[in-house]
Amino acid sequence: MNRILIYTVILFCLSSCSSSQKATTDQTESEGYAPKGSIRDLVLIYDGGTHRREVWNEELFQPYVYAPRPDGKGGDWLFDGFLFLEIYDGNRCGFASGYRPTPATKEDWIMLIDKYFTSGKSICALNDCIENSKSICGKLPKKRKIVLSLPEPIPNQKNWGELDGKKLDFSNDEDRITACKWYIDFITERFKKAHLKNVELAGFYWLAEEATHTRTFVKHIADYIHEDKQSFYWIPYFKSDGYTTWKKLGFDKAYLQPNHFFNLNIPDSRIDDACKLAWQYGMSMECEFDERALTDRASRMKAYLDGFERNQVFEKTDVAYYQGGSAFYALRNGSEQEVALYYRLANIIIKRQKARR
């Protein structure tokens, strides 16, 4: 996601505001770490827009599926969760408020899922990569969890499309809820028909990173997801609207974005501040980096790892990993220093994964 421009404006506005809100969650009194869920390490896979240069095939997924051992003898399984998402189609329309002036339509929503279930790419390629990695890593401890994003039905949109002969109008919440429920059913059915051996649908991710335009109805979406025993995920930006009330909004798991990596004017102490807020409100954390970690911002990525270790994030809670386009792959195939940074994070994930078996 191109968070730089968005966050620069947002963070400048928020920097002058102090948070006087009190914790309202039912976190444990002894420590505020968010409880561990079914996914320990969730990596974000941006895919679907025509602007993406990555083609998510088996080769690209390999450094995410397992890390080869330095001695060349086998490998170790890595991420147990994969979040597939997209913010705009690359040409004209956005999948949530603020990304593009033109809202995505029903056809655009369908287009995303069609791409995700294309043979040899995206989710299908991930499934194949896992299967072919068993000869190197041995038995897969458990199926890898797939989380799929739900576009925001953008306020006041009137050209989204029809369902059951009715043209939906997103100026009212009822039609927005109807569209989301239809899409959840559509995704669920497509996943079942794919018959993928090594992955399973674990739930859905709310693409809007603030509650401003959706707080009046998102709880209804959560309730519908829960009817099918699935989970609802959210990753709000630092101090975004609604982050303190994520449980009341209906989310099962919320990861807080520190937004440190993107703005050089933000000190490393932001990571400690974000961890404190996360513990206060019973949230998990997001680790953030992109391909600039291979150039001038390696120290920014290292600051996350240092800060998460200092605040016991890796020991105590689940983590989501924003890695731009395919930065984790780039690190694995980079210089000696970049490969070392890849293995620093990979070894953390390996340790976390083995602790869960």
Side-chain angles (χ1 to χ4, degrees):
M1 180 187 299
N2 187 3
R3 304 183 177 193
I4 305 169
L5 293 177
I6 298 171
Y7 291 149
T8 300
V9 175
I10 293 171
L11 296 172
F12 177 80
C13 295
L14 291 173
S15 62
S16 61
C17 301
S18 60
S19 176
S20 59
Q21 296 153 307
K22 301 297 182 181
T24 58
T25 59
D26 57 351
Q27 62 199 45
T28 56
E29 295 182 2
S30 59
E31 56 186 12
Y33 299 108
K36 298 172 185 176
S38 62
I39 300 174
R40 188 69 165 141
D41 297 287
L42 178 68
V43 61
L44 278 63
I45 305 296
Y46 283 88
D47 188 21
T50 57
H51 59 299
R52 302 290 177 188
R53 71 179 188 274
E54 293 86 7
V55 176
W56 286 99
N57 53 25
E58 283 193 58
E59 177 188 354
L60 195 56
F61 273 119
Q62 185 271 302
Y64 301 80
V65 170
Y66 76 91
R69 292 173 184 163
D71 61 6
K73 298 179 180 179
D76 293 291
W77 298 108
L78 289 174
F79 298 101
D80 60 342
F82 293 79
L83 165 56
F84 286 80
L85 70 165
E86 187 54 278
I87 59 172
Y88 70 97
D89 72 343
N91 294 315
R92 58 179 182 80
C93 65
F95 292 103
S97 299
Y99 293 115
R100 285 293 182 275
T102 302
T105 65
K106 177 183 177 182
E107 290 183 358
D108 298 314
W109 289 22
I110 293 173
M111 174 273 296
L112 271 185
I113 300 306
D114 286 343
K115 288 189 175 182
Y116 291 160
F117 287 99
T118 299
S119 178
K121 297 180 181 179
S122 300
I123 297 173
C124 297
L126 172 61
N127 181 74
D128 295 341
C129 182
I130 294 169
E131 182 65 28
N132 293 328
S133 299
K134 293 177 182 178
S135 62
I136 298 171
C137 302
K139 181 181 178 181
L140 184 68
K142 59 180 180 179
K143 288 185 178 182
R144 279 10 199 166
K145 308 287 187 179
I146 302 298
V147 178
L148 290 173
S149 61
L150 297 179
E152 175 192 348
I154 296 176
N156 301 313
Q157 181 181 0
K158 300 182 186 300
N159 69 335
W160 179 82
E162 295 183 359
L163 289 178
D164 298 326
K166 177 188 176 183
K167 185 178 181 180
L168 299 191
D169 178 357
F170 289 167
S171 63
N172 68 77
D173 285 351
E174 182 178 351
D175 282 3
R176 300 173 84 188
I177 293 169
T178 297
C180 289
K181 287 183 176 180
W182 167 82
Y183 198 52
I184 290 167
D185 292 343
F186 179 77
I187 290 172
T188 302
E189 186 62 25
R190 286 295 297 273
F191 211 103
K192 290 178 180 177
K193 289 181 177 179
H195 299 293
L196 301 174
K197 178 180 179 181
N198 300 300
V199 299
E200 60 186 359
L201 182 62
F204 301 89
Y205 168 71
W206 196 238
L207 190 62
E209 296 180 2
E210 74 291 308
T212 306
H213 304 294
T214 60
R215 63 162 33 88
T216 58
F217 72 92
V218 70
K219 181 63 166 58
H220 295 283
I221 307 305
D223 292 341
Y224 191 70
I225 289 170
H226 294 152
E227 287 179 12
D228 200 31
K229 309 300 181 184
Q230 300 282 10
S231 296
F232 202 16
Y233 298 83
W234 194 36
I235 311 179
Y237 58 78
F238 188 71
K239 292 187 178 180
S240 78
D241 179 23
Y243 85 99
T244 63
T245 57
W246 64 272
K247 285 188 178 181
K248 291 183 178 179
L249 292 170
F251 297 107
D252 300 291
K253 172 69 69 173
Y255 307 82
L256 184 61
Q257 302 176 25
N259 302 144
H260 161 274
F261 183 89
F262 313 102
N263 189 336
L264 296 177
N265 294 321
I266 296 176
D268 291 352
S269 59
R270 162 63 67 81
I271 297 170
D272 296 304
D273 295 340
C275 289
K276 290 176 183 177
L277 285 176
W279 304 157
Q280 182 180 2
Y281 294 104
M283 304 174 76
S284 293
M285 291 295 299
E286 181 179 69
C287 179
E288 299 163 314
F289 59 96
D290 58 31
E291 290 193 7
R292 287 171 295 175
L294 283 78
T295 56
D296 60 328
R297 299 200 184 186
S299 62
R300 303 291 282 183
M301 178 180 173
K302 292 175 183 176
Y304 277 80
L305 305 184
D306 293 340
F308 281 17
E309 288 174 344
R310 185 167 58 249
N311 288 279
Q312 296 183 289
V313 173
F314 292 126
E315 288 77 20
K316 297 294 186 178
T317 192
D318 303 325
V319 179
Y321 302 83
Y322 171 87
Q323 46 101 44
S326 54
F328 203 58
Y329 174 92
L331 287 171
R332 174 64 185 87
N333 293 278
S335 67
E336 182 178 348
Q337 292 81 6
E338 291 152 5
V339 172
L341 187 53
Y342 167 87
Y343 272 103
R344 180 180 175 188
L345 179 53
N347 287 333
I348 289 170
I349 296 169
I350 291 167
K351 181 179 179 180
R352 285 162 54 81
Q353 289 297 312
K354 288 183 176 179
R356 298 202 68 174
R357 297 178 190 173

